Amino acid sequence: AFNFTAELAEVRHWFLSHAHSDHTCGLKSSFDNGVIYCSTITKALICRDIGKRLERRLRVIDVGESVSLDGATTVTAFDAGHCPGSLLFLFEKDEARLLHTGDFRASDRIRNQFPERKIDVVYLDTTYANPRFQFPSQREACEMIETIVREHFAENNPEDAIVVCPAYTIGKENAVEAAVRGAAPQGGKALVSERRAESLKFCQRWNDAVYTTNPADPAVKVFVDSAFGGGNQQKKETPHEALKRRFPGKKVIQLNCTGWTFKSSLRDPKSGAYNLPKPWVDGDTTIYGIPYSEHSSFTELEAFVAHLKPKRLVPTVNAESRAARTRLRDLFSKHLDNSANPRKLDFWLSQNNNNKGTPLSSSSKKKKAFSSSLGQKKKRKRASSPADAALVRSLVEITNVDEPFAKRLLSKSDNDLQRAVSMHLDGEDDLSDSEEEEDDDDGSADS
């Protein structure tokens, strides 16, 4: 969103879930478009990475704290379980409650922050919204890491054994510390850059017994740095060749910790237990794909949505097109509360239960009402406003839709750019060539 501050000049309240660069892109120290709300940790990190000048525009909101916007809307922060400082934001106005998850790991602990379950709309992190991503919990993935590292040192001369753990400047601390525990019999420590050391101190995760910035420390067994992630493409170097070049003569294992490495073969179909991943071996170097993730597994996403039972769900990742958003919503449709949606059978069943008398199946009056509701808005006509050319260009850049479609969105929204973007993201962009107004549904229908 920070890439579009000019187009969204009227927006004065911005909510930053965490400090990863894909969420701060476009943010500059000269930002002057209102207030950015974030956690204490995120504030420290972005002031360091983007500029101290930005501090005047930042307002801290930590877990359990709330802020009031213009006396009408209350926003409360919850732990997102993604990386240090990451937050979920709950927006409340009158009786409406909207939850934006940002990037999050929906473990039982995170889910249980919401015992009341009264959420109207959830903007959901759908990074792994695919039934095949049933990867293990972080605890189980860390147990894998410990076992692999312990066996690596047991099978090789500890003086020659090395562990490489690629990671961001912030995040994957649990995975790194699991690797250190696996190397503990040899007094292992993790070598980190000065920048990551500073990040760990901001997050209160620094531990002298676990981390060091001294490459000459004899206790160093685990190397942590994004620079160790893969091969050198300019030299056409494979990941194995890169490891051999950096650690000549050493027995090296690299742990690629990401949910994308998960394969269904890792999980026993009967017991549900997870097996150790098969390594990619090339002589003295071995690479493991560890299904350790700081995003939610599909199993966790389902449990989270089923727990909250929101009336509406808006996917936020891999949701660029209407078809993609519909597909993602359909994955969770059975867990939504459709009792207030007249386009859903649940609404009519609940109406029937609330009105004692003849069953719904025998009520011709309700059948007519149901049919009428499906086509009611299609019968209403409205005058369209010509799309503003400058707004069309902005909408194309923001949403990546084609120009004719952008014109139709802006025409339907009366050249309100924010509304056009919301219509596109929320699945209200099923536009016909006529001037008839389509129903504002949730992108799916009952059979």
Side-chain angles (χ1 to χ4, degrees):
F2 294 117
N3 283 316
F4 306 104
T5 52
E7 292 86 348
L8 303 175
E10 66 275 26
V11 175
R12 308 306 293 171
H13 302 284
W14 304 73
F15 290 83
L16 180 58
S17 60
H18 62 292
H20 282 159
S21 60
D22 57 328
H23 290 252
T24 61
C25 55
L27 181 59
K28 299 178 174 61
S29 61
S30 58
F31 175 87
D32 195 26
N33 285 60
V35 178
I36 301 172
Y37 299 86
C38 62
S39 67
T40 300
I41 291 173
T42 298
K43 176 183 176 180
L45 290 167
I46 64 173
C47 282
R48 178 197 66 184
D49 296 342
I50 298 174
K52 192 72 174 175
R53 180 182 170 191
L54 189 61
E55 187 173 13
R56 63 193 174 91
R57 289 294 178 183
L58 302 177
R59 178 171 174 182
V60 166
I61 174 172
D62 282 318
V63 172
E65 297 178 352
S66 299
V67 295
S68 178
L69 308 183
D70 305 325
T73 302
T74 300
V75 185
T76 305
F78 295 84
D79 185 5
H82 177 63
C83 68
S86 60
L87 298 175
L88 311 171
F89 294 112
L90 176 65
F91 297 80
E92 298 176 274
K93 182 176 181 181
D94 299 327
E95 298 299 317
R97 304 178 86 219
L98 181 153
L99 179 68
H100 199 299
T101 69
D103 289 351
F104 82 134
R105 181 79 200 240
S107 63
D108 292 348
R109 179 181 65 82
I110 299 302
R111 184 173 69 245
N112 291 336
Q113 294 178 109
F114 304 94
E116 294 184 8
R117 310 184 185 185
K118 295 178 181 178
I119 303 293
D120 297 296
V121 184
V122 171
Y123 281 74
L124 188 71
D125 170 15
T126 45
T127 300
Y128 290 105
N130 186 312
R132 75 183 183 89
F133 287 116
Q134 311 228 4
F135 47 73
S137 66
Q138 280 195 9
R139 178 186 58 78
E140 291 169 311
C142 286
E143 288 173 356
M144 285 184 184
I145 293 170
E146 282 191 62
T147 299
I148 289 170
V149 172
R150 192 176 298 111
E151 290 178 354
H152 177 60
F153 282 98
E155 294 168 0
N156 297 284
N157 182 346
E159 296 299 319
D160 295 330
I162 292 292
V163 178
V164 176
C165 192
Y168 315 121
T169 304
I170 181 173
K172 304 196 179 180
E173 290 80 12
N174 293 335
V176 172
E177 290 167 16
V180 170
R181 287 194 299 272
Q186 280 70 45
K189 281 187 179 182
L191 176 66
V192 298
S193 65
E194 294 285 353
R195 190 176 187 80
R196 186 174 177 89
E198 187 177 38
S199 298
L200 289 166
K201 291 169 184 175
F202 283 151
C203 304
Q204 299 182 337
R205 292 292 294 256
W206 180 266
N207 184 336
D208 288 331
V210 175
Y211 299 104
T212 181
T213 58
N214 179 12
D217 189 331
V220 170
K221 299 296 180 184
V222 180
F223 290 76
V224 184
D225 198 309
S226 59
F228 302 141
N232 187 318
Q233 296 302 311
Q234 292 181 339
K235 296 181 179 179
K236 296 183 178 180
E237 188 178 49
T238 69
H240 282 289
E241 289 169 343
L243 291 172
K244 289 178 171 64
R245 172 176 53 80
R246 181 157 185 90
F247 304 103
K250 298 292 185 180
K251 303 287 186 179
V252 185
I253 60 170
Q254 178 169 299
L255 307 175
N256 292 339
C257 299
T258 170
W260 300 115
T261 66
F262 176 73
K263 296 180 180 178
S264 58
S265 58
L266 288 179
R267 193 178 189 190
D268 187 295
K270 293 183 179 180
S271 68
Y274 292 92
N275 303 309
L276 293 179
K278 293 182 179 180
W280 174 24
V281 182
D282 185 354
D284 288 343
T285 57
T286 300
I287 298 176
Y288 285 91
I290 307 294
Y292 170 96
S293 180
E294 291 177 337
H295 291 270
S296 308
S297 68
F298 181 75
T299 311
E300 291 167 330
L301 288 175
E302 269 206 309
F304 187 78
V305 176
H307 176 76
L308 296 181
K309 206 167 179 61
K311 296 174 183 176
R312 188 170 167 218
L313 183 148
V314 181
T316 61
V317 181
N318 301 321
E320 290 78 13
S321 68
R322 185 178 190 277
R325 291 192 296 278
T326 298
R327 177 184 59 78
L328 289 166
R329 274 192 291 261
D330 285 349
L331 289 171
F332 306 100
S333 60
K334 65 182 179 182
H335 302 303
L336 302 182
D337 176 8
N338 291 309
S339 62
N341 184 350
R343 290 182 60 85
K344 294 292 185 178
L345 188 58
D346 295 27
F347 172 83
W348 299 99
L349 291 173
S350 67
Q351 293 293 305
N352 188 56
N353 291 333
N354 292 333
N355 295 283
K356 296 179 181 179
T358 57
L360 179 63
S361 58
S362 63
S363 173
S364 59
K365 187 175 182 179
K366 287 185 178 177
K367 287 180 180 177
K368 289 179 181 178
F370 179 60
S371 299
S372 174
S373 75
L374 295 179
Q376 186 178 11
K377 287 187 179 179
K378 292 183 180 179
K379 295 177 182 177
R380 294 206 307 263
K381 292 192 176 182
R382 50 170 299 168
S384 298
S385 303
D388 180 271
L391 292 177
V392 169
R393 289 192 296 272
S394 296
L395 186 59
V396 168
E397 185 176 2
I398 292 170
T399 62
N400 202 31
V401 300
D402 58 35
E403 186 173 318
F405 196 76
K407 288 180 178 178
R408 294 163 70 190
L409 277 170
L410 284 164
S411 179
K412 186 176 180 183
S413 65
D414 296 326
N415 282 313
D416 185 328
L417 182 61
Q418 281 196 74
R419 185 181 171 212
V421 172
S422 296
M423 287 167 59
H424 177 62
L425 294 178
D426 296 351
E428 301 175 40
D429 52 5
D430 186 14
L431 309 178
S432 65
D433 290 326
S434 70
E435 293 181 347
E436 294 178 352
E437 185 178 15
E438 297 288 343
D439 253 346
D440 178 6
D441 70 1
D442 68 351
S444 60
D446 283 325
S447 52

